[in-house]
Amino acid sequence: MPRVNYLGMTILDAITGGLERATVLDRPAAAARKTVSTVLADRRIKDALHGVWLGHALHPALAQLTLGSLTSAAVLDLLGGRRQESSVLIRAGLLTAPLTVAAGWADYAESHEEQQRVGVVHAVTNASALALFATALVQRTRGRSGRTASVLGGTVAGVGAWLGGHLAYRQALGPNQAEAVPHTGPEDWQSLGPVAELPDGTAVQRRAGAVDVLVVRRGDEVSVLSDRCPHLAAPLHEGELDCASGEITCPWHGSVFRVGDGAVVHGPATAPVPGFATRVRDGVVQARVLTFPGVPAS
């Protein structure tokens, strides 16, 4: 049995790895990205679809609702359940699908190229599943069972869910990339250099223990955050600093954070940047990570 599982994982890894490296997908991926960026030009709408207001990615939560409804309908049809209940579940899944799709495309447009290659196939697979479930409903209005289309839809939706899981958990599109910072420290005070050597109104990178940190001096005030963007781990010190608003923009995908506390102002990031406590001793800036109560940094 372990040998079969290992072989299965090898085959699945080969498929997803092939998609990640399939440059032939770059053209349709770029076209999709351009279309999404044009349609979702309003930043407030994009922030809502990313899930900034929720504090984590919106698409996975919506996908659970849509996918759960549709696959439940497919299981009922596979086991010979009543068509009435199955149809209700299909309608629920189709009704929630547009918002789920919109949130997914919003995240897609702010991702790396290899993620977009998988994302395009993920989208096509899901669209095929939705078409099959819609076909099942149409067939039922014409007196047919629609069970075959429903079961096929559930099967295709499962493939789409597998690709979605790969995007989220293997390619890390959506998770907080800076979550480990409070656990990796440093928990004790670390010197970042003399205050006088920090350029006023400029974002710079320093090292605190084993962690790269973003240091911003504005007059007598010094703010220290993790230098890793929570979205896809971009180096924040390379971003654009707006001293007037006290905000810094990620250089890769345009997430905006408050320098003072790391809070998210605009997505695609949904998690704040981990902060560091600071102090000045004998003209030297010192910092240590802010940990969770009762959870020491390693």
Side-chain angles (χ1 to χ4, degrees):
M1 183 63 70
R3 184 176 181 181
V4 174
N5 288 340
Y6 176 78
L7 177 61
M9 288 304 298
T10 300
I11 293 173
L12 295 180
D13 284 346
I15 293 172
T16 52
L19 291 177
E20 292 172 357
R21 294 185 290 272
T23 56
V24 68
L25 294 172
D26 286 347
R27 187 170 181 178
R33 181 176 64 249
K34 182 178 180 180
T35 300
V36 173
S37 297
T38 301
V39 174
L40 298 180
D42 190 320
R43 195 162 200 175
R44 294 169 300 178
I45 296 176
K46 284 201 299 183
D47 282 350
L49 290 174
H50 286 311
V52 173
W53 58 277
L54 191 59
H56 61 77
L58 178 62
H59 176 68
L62 292 173
Q64 295 296 316
L65 177 59
T66 301
L67 179 67
S69 298
L70 295 175
T71 53
S72 296
V75 170
L76 279 177
D77 286 324
L78 177 65
L79 299 179
R82 293 175 55 183
R83 282 186 293 173
Q84 180 179 357
E85 285 78 3
S86 170
S87 296
V88 169
L89 287 168
I90 292 175
R91 290 190 182 95
L94 294 179
L95 284 173
T96 58
L99 187 55
T100 302
V101 170
W105 279 119
D107 292 344
Y108 166 91
E110 309 293 350
S111 60
H112 293 315
E113 286 79 2
E114 74 277 7
Q115 295 169 331
Q116 291 178 1
R117 293 166 185 165
V118 178
V120 164
V121 180
H122 172 63
V124 170
T125 304
N126 287 336
S128 301
L130 292 175
L132 285 166
F133 281 111
T135 298
L137 286 184
V138 171
Q139 289 177 341
R140 288 172 183 178
T141 62
R142 298 176 179 176
R144 298 171 61 184
S145 73
R147 293 185 187 276
T148 300
S150 174
V151 172
L152 284 175
T155 303
V156 176
V159 175
W162 164 58
L163 291 174
H166 181 80
L167 277 164
Y169 298 107
R170 182 68 172 266
Q171 294 185 293
L173 179 58
N176 176 12
Q177 301 286 336
E179 189 278 334
V181 172
H183 302 283
T184 56
E187 194 171 8
D188 54 336
W189 291 104
Q190 302 286 313
S191 295
L192 303 181
V195 176
E197 294 182 4
L198 292 174
D200 195 358
T202 301
V204 296
Q205 183 191 61
R206 292 291 186 267
R207 191 78 172 174
V211 180
D212 288 329
V213 294
L214 166 73
V215 183
V216 177
R217 174 191 168 202
R218 293 174 289 165
D220 295 331
E221 180 183 355
V222 179
S223 300
V224 180
L225 301 171
S226 167
D227 196 38
R228 173 179 291 188
C229 177
H231 177 229
L232 285 175
L236 287 177
H237 75 280
E238 296 180 3
E240 180 181 349
L241 176 66
D242 186 338
C243 287
S245 64
E247 298 170 356
I248 191 164
T249 301
C250 173
W252 287 0
H253 300 103
S255 296
V256 180
F257 306 93
R258 286 203 304 257
V259 172
D261 58 6
V264 181
V265 179
H266 293 296
T270 57
V273 183
F276 285 68
T278 61
R279 71 182 186 183
V280 177
R281 289 290 186 272
D282 299 323
V284 175
V285 177
Q286 297 179 339
R288 66 181 182 187
V289 72
L290 297 174
T291 59
F292 294 100
V295 184
S298 58

